[in-house]
Amino acid sequence: MNPFVTIVVALRAVLRNKMRSFLTTLGIIIGVAAVIAMMAIGAGAKAQVEQAFAAMGTNLLIVMPGSTTAGGSFGGFGSMPTLTWDDLAAIRTEVPSVKAAAPQLRSNQSIVSDELNWTTSVTGTSPEYFEIRNWPVATGSIFTQADVDAGSKVVLLGQTVVERLFGSSANPVGQTVRIGKSPFAVVGVLDRKGQSPNGQDYDDAAFIPMTTFAQRIQGGLGKFLVGSIHVQATGSDTTQRALEEVKALLRDRHHIAPGGEDDFSIRNLSEVASAQQQGTETMTTLLASVAAVSLLVGGIGIMNIMLVSVTERTREIGLRMAIGAKPRSILLQFLVEALVLSLAGGLLGVAIGVGTASWLADKFRWPMQIQVDVIGISVVFSALVGVVFGLYPARKASQLDPIDALRYE
Amino acid sequence: MIEEPLIRVANVKKVYKTGDVEVHALRGVSLDVYPGEFVAIMGSSGSGKSTLMNLLGCLDRPSSGSYRLAGREVAKMNRNELAEVRSEVLGFVFQSFNLLARTSALENVELPLVYRGVGGRERHRRAAHALERVGLGARLDHTPAQLSGGQQQRVAIARALVGEPKVILADEPTGNLDSQTSVDVMALFQELGQAGITIVLVTHEPDIAECASRVIVVKDGNVVTDRKQVPRPARTESPSSSGVSVEKREYP
């Protein structure tokens, strides 16, 4: 029996009971649709997390000053300055696995333009900071090391701040704003960066040279660096080494005896990022396995209805055998029928899954990524379910005794 | 030259075991059927005629004895080989027609050729030809539900004919038909027999058996009568009124 005829016969048998065939494949349809939709949304969420962490900076370590201990209660990291400007210089020059380091001194300040004012987070830093965070300017330019050395009153504005102070389409480069009592020249506007993983607006920020920040906002440039240090390792494989080297350097510089507690802490952001990613992956895997169970149930549904079909068509099987069908032809006929059912369910499931993912993404503004490989695997898997669960009924059909089958009422 | 029998059954026994009880359905049957014979096998229910028919049809294997069909020993064949023999040598006609429902007459007749791997166009041509031969050339697209009982049985006969079998086995082919339609179907069998096709027919009705050229009576698992006879024409009036066109052809 040639394969084309087998497929036509199977299709006809499936279409003869349209409602029954549809209900039979429903398990597969739901399973595949769920897998596709979950994986699409999961991949979208993962990509979003990745993007958000890339926006914070790649291979990033953040060095925070240590905690104060007052009467037994810890004040939390950053409550007391322990890092010095010399520490920053030492990290830059003495640790080979460090590519760049920049301070981050932060304070909320009111910025005033000619007509409007806006309170935002003002950061004092050095030009390397923008390199570490992969954050170029949209217009103008980043302030220079010379500006830092001189303590110039220059400022870089984020997009949100520009909108609040000058309106959405304005170009403020060259204009003057006041921070506190001092006038600052706007030298550049940074590119739009979007949101942090916890929903904070990166673009609602202004940046001035660290020296200017210390003098104008922190009330003088002292020995201590009142803020944190962003450190970028030379590569993703050296991040952990950079962390250990910076740690050793700072312990040495702060004269901490072996066994003594650090007066600073270092956070490895790539670790945080991979933990987050693992979180989304675990979630996706969990949902996908629930969907896989649905596929399994769908397969059992197919087996059930194929068994019914074999019983119903016992006489037909007997006749086919009497006129020359070999057991193998009968096996193949029912196997292909199960395959047609499950494959049709799989393809319908793909369509519904893609549709559902798009609809959810549209309605709730979730990110999503349709993955071609997941679609391929789902279709192959549903076909496999058809073959596996169709095998038993098909074998049963092929092993019927033609005499009994012909006499079956 | 002595003609080789088409069917040679020698001392065939068939024993069924039902629990501890052994049922001897056939107790050593021997018979030869030569090409072109029209044999009627008669017997009451339980006589063993159905068992004999199943063995002749290669649907079952004898417990002992030899069965040569068209020169091949089939008594020891496995299921696949039996299916092949059925496909190549035999054509079946059943009491209850056994047509596929909701499937056109043409496709029903094509079915045996499908299992032989005959291509679509050739299948169509031969099936249409077989249907013309049984007088249903105008009803190729009718489904069984749109045909009368007699017409359905003629589709079944066309299906048995389409593979150009050496033997047509008919199991009570008139059992579900009224007397007038039975006459039509028997007239068709007689015409096919005159055209040289070997026919073995099982019946319990004596007036159906009268239409055959040889009658074998089976009783309690033994052949009790085996006689040749001059067949009584199924139809007394002229055969052309059946609307069946008979084609003379030589069968080996």
Side-chain angles (χ1 to χ4, degrees):
Chain A
M1 200 165 171
N2 81 51
F4 179 70
V5 177
T6 313
I7 291 167
V8 169
V9 168
L11 268 176
R12 209 179 287 168
V14 166
L15 291 177
R16 194 161 284 165
N17 292 305
K18 287 192 189 66
M19 191 62 185
R20 187 163 95 177
S21 300
F22 173 71
L23 290 176
T24 304
T25 51
L26 208 54
I28 301 271
I29 293 173
I30 292 171
V32 169
V35 170
I36 303 265
M38 287 309 148
M39 296 300 270
I41 288 165
K46 193 176 159 216
Q48 195 187 35
V49 169
E50 269 168 20
Q51 198 189 345
F53 276 99
M56 285 172 79
T58 43
N59 311 322
L60 191 62
L61 304 172
I62 297 178
V63 185
M64 315 250 285
S67 57
T68 49
T69 319
S73 83
F74 288 89
F77 288 120
S79 53
M80 193 186 80
T82 54
L83 300 171
T84 66
W85 293 106
D86 292 338
D87 288 341
L88 173 63
I91 289 170
R92 277 177 177 162
T93 53
E94 288 173 32
V95 185
S97 55
V98 166
K99 187 177 166 199
Q104 178 177 272
L105 319 176
R106 200 167 251 185
S107 166
N108 278 349
Q109 295 290 323
S110 176
I111 306 183
V112 185
S113 71
D114 286 349
E115 286 159 11
L116 298 161
N117 73 86
W118 181 246
T119 301
T120 186
S121 153
V122 175
T123 301
T125 188
S126 64
E128 294 93 336
Y129 184 80
F130 303 96
E131 202 180 302
I132 293 170
R133 294 195 59 185
N134 310 318
W135 203 354
V137 283
T139 51
S141 58
I142 286 165
F143 54 74
T144 61
Q145 189 58 41
D147 289 325
V148 173
D149 295 342
S152 309
K153 284 183 269 182
V154 289
V155 65
L156 278 165
L157 299 178
Q159 295 277 356
T160 305
V161 178
V162 172
E163 277 161 29
R164 292 296 174 170
L165 291 180
F166 297 97
S168 53
S169 57
N171 179 7
V173 174
Q175 302 212 36
T176 306
V177 294
R178 279 192 300 114
I179 300 173
K181 292 184 180 94
S182 317
F184 280 74
V186 178
V187 290
V189 176
L190 291 160
D191 253 355
R192 187 171 293 284
K193 192 129 176 126
Q195 287 191 351
S196 76
N198 41 31
Q200 182 199 336
D201 180 7
Y202 281 130
D203 299 310
D204 188 6
F207 299 87
I208 60 176
M210 59 195 190
T211 44
T212 320
F213 190 97
Q215 285 159 357
R216 305 283 157 187
I217 293 171
Q218 290 178 336
L221 186 57
K223 177 188 172 200
F224 288 104
L225 183 158
V226 189
S228 58
I229 300 172
H230 280 47
V231 178
Q232 188 176 31
T234 48
S236 58
D237 49 335
T238 55
T239 313
Q240 191 56 38
R241 185 165 19 124
L243 188 146
E244 277 150 24
E245 285 172 354
V246 169
K247 191 173 178 171
L249 176 80
L250 291 180
R251 281 181 74 88
D252 183 47
R253 289 182 56 82
H254 294 188
H255 309 293
I256 297 166
E261 214 171 307
D262 291 345
D263 63 350
F264 59 91
S265 72
I266 306 177
R267 278 168 55 190
N268 184 344
L269 276 198
S270 17
E271 265 178 10
V272 179
S274 67
Q276 277 251 8
Q277 274 177 23
Q278 268 174 7
T280 48
E281 261 169 37
T282 309
M283 201 63 193
T284 308
T285 314
L286 205 71
L287 291 168
S289 26
V290 169
V293 168
S294 167
L295 269 180
L296 204 72
V297 173
I300 294 167
I302 285 185
M303 177 148 79
N304 184 26
I305 219 68
M306 289 306 296
L307 282 171
V308 170
S309 180
V310 167
T311 309
E312 273 180 356
R313 284 150 69 191
T314 300
R315 277 176 77 94
E316 179 192 323
I317 294 164
L319 168 80
R320 286 178 184 272
M321 285 177 163
I323 63 174
K326 289 181 185 165
R328 198 189 44 200
S329 311
I330 301 290
L331 180 98
L332 209 63
Q333 183 189 334
F334 281 91
L335 208 54
V336 169
E337 205 172 308
L339 189 68
V340 164
L341 273 177
S342 64
L343 206 56
L347 292 175
L348 216 61
V350 166
I352 291 174
V354 170
T356 307
S358 314
W359 179 76
L360 284 174
D362 200 51
K363 189 165 164 65
F364 299 107
R365 300 190 171 283
W366 287 350
M368 69 139 193
Q369 272 180 1
I370 301 292
Q371 293 161 296
V372 181
D373 53 342
V374 171
I375 290 179
I377 290 168
S378 305
V379 171
V380 169
F381 193 75
S382 52
L384 210 67
V385 162
V387 170
V388 167
F389 287 94
L391 201 60
Y392 172 65
R395 262 188 78 79
K396 206 180 155 191
S398 73
Q399 286 176 349
L400 283 174
D401 178 11
I403 300 167
D404 293 342
L406 276 167
R407 236 183 262 140
Y408 184 83
E409 291 298 328
Chain B
M1 189 184 117
I2 302 164
E3 216 174 354
E4 163 94 355
L6 198 53
I7 292 172
R8 165 156 274 175
V9 175
N11 197 26
V12 158
K13 293 179 183 167
K14 182 72 188 179
V15 183
Y16 294 108
K17 279 186 187 137
T18 325
D20 293 339
V21 188
E22 285 195 349
V23 179
H24 294 264
L26 293 176
R27 298 165 184 271
V29 170
S30 298
L31 58 92
D32 290 349
V33 176
Y34 288 88
E37 279 194 294
F38 185 171
V39 182
I41 297 175
M42 286 197 71
S44 52
S45 72
S47 61
K49 67 177 195 298
S50 294
T51 306
L52 180 57
M53 192 66 179
N54 289 335
L55 291 176
L56 290 177
C58 298
L59 294 168
D60 206 351
R61 280 166 292 198
S63 307
S64 69
S66 150
Y67 173 25
R68 290 180 72 80
L69 174 63
R72 295 161 78 177
E73 176 61 55
V74 297
K76 300 275 185 291
M77 281 185 172
N78 66 25
R79 280 167 64 104
N80 275 323
E81 290 166 327
L82 287 177
E84 234 161 70
V85 170
R86 289 198 296 269
S87 166
E88 285 164 14
V89 184
L90 300 174
F92 281 91
V93 179
F94 304 94
Q95 178 175 2
S96 48
F97 322 140
N98 278 325
L99 299 178
L100 297 187
R102 286 168 286 192
T103 307
S104 73
L106 190 71
E107 283 178 278
N108 264 293
V109 175
E110 280 182 22
L111 207 55
L113 301 179
V114 166
Y115 289 111
R116 266 202 221 174
V118 177
R121 194 164 298 172
E122 174 72 2
R123 237 170 30 223
H124 270 57
R125 194 184 63 71
R126 283 167 71 173
H129 182 72
L131 279 165
E132 273 165 31
R133 221 174 148 187
V134 299
L136 289 175
R139 293 195 158 75
L140 303 182
D141 297 328
H142 287 49
T143 62
Q146 297 168 319
L147 296 169
S148 70
Q151 288 169 332
Q152 288 186 49
Q153 193 58 301
R154 281 203 244 163
V155 173
I157 294 170
R159 184 180 61 195
L161 276 177
V162 75
E164 291 175 7
K166 295 203 166 59
V167 185
I168 288 185
L169 295 169
D171 190 1
E172 302 269 12
T174 58
N176 280 8
L177 300 174
D178 60 52
S179 52
Q180 181 51 46
T181 323
S182 298
V183 167
D184 289 345
V185 166
M186 286 315 294
L188 177 56
F189 273 119
Q190 284 189 332
E191 284 158 18
L192 295 171
Q194 278 156 21
I197 298 173
T198 311
I199 298 163
V200 176
L201 179 147
V202 166
T203 185
H204 63 271
E205 293 171 74
D207 53 330
I208 294 296
E210 278 171 22
C211 299
S213 64
R214 181 178 166 192
V215 177
I216 293 171
V217 180
V218 183
K219 194 178 177 190
D220 297 331
N222 290 304
V223 173
V224 292
T225 317
D226 186 347
R227 64 181 156 82
K228 299 219 167 155
Q229 65 181 20
V230 177
R232 176 185 64 82
R235 207 195 312 268
T236 41
E237 65 268 42
S238 79
S240 62
S241 65
S242 71
V244 176
S245 70
V246 177
E247 184 181 304
K248 286 275 178 198
R249 53 183 304 164
E250 287 302 313
Y251 272 80

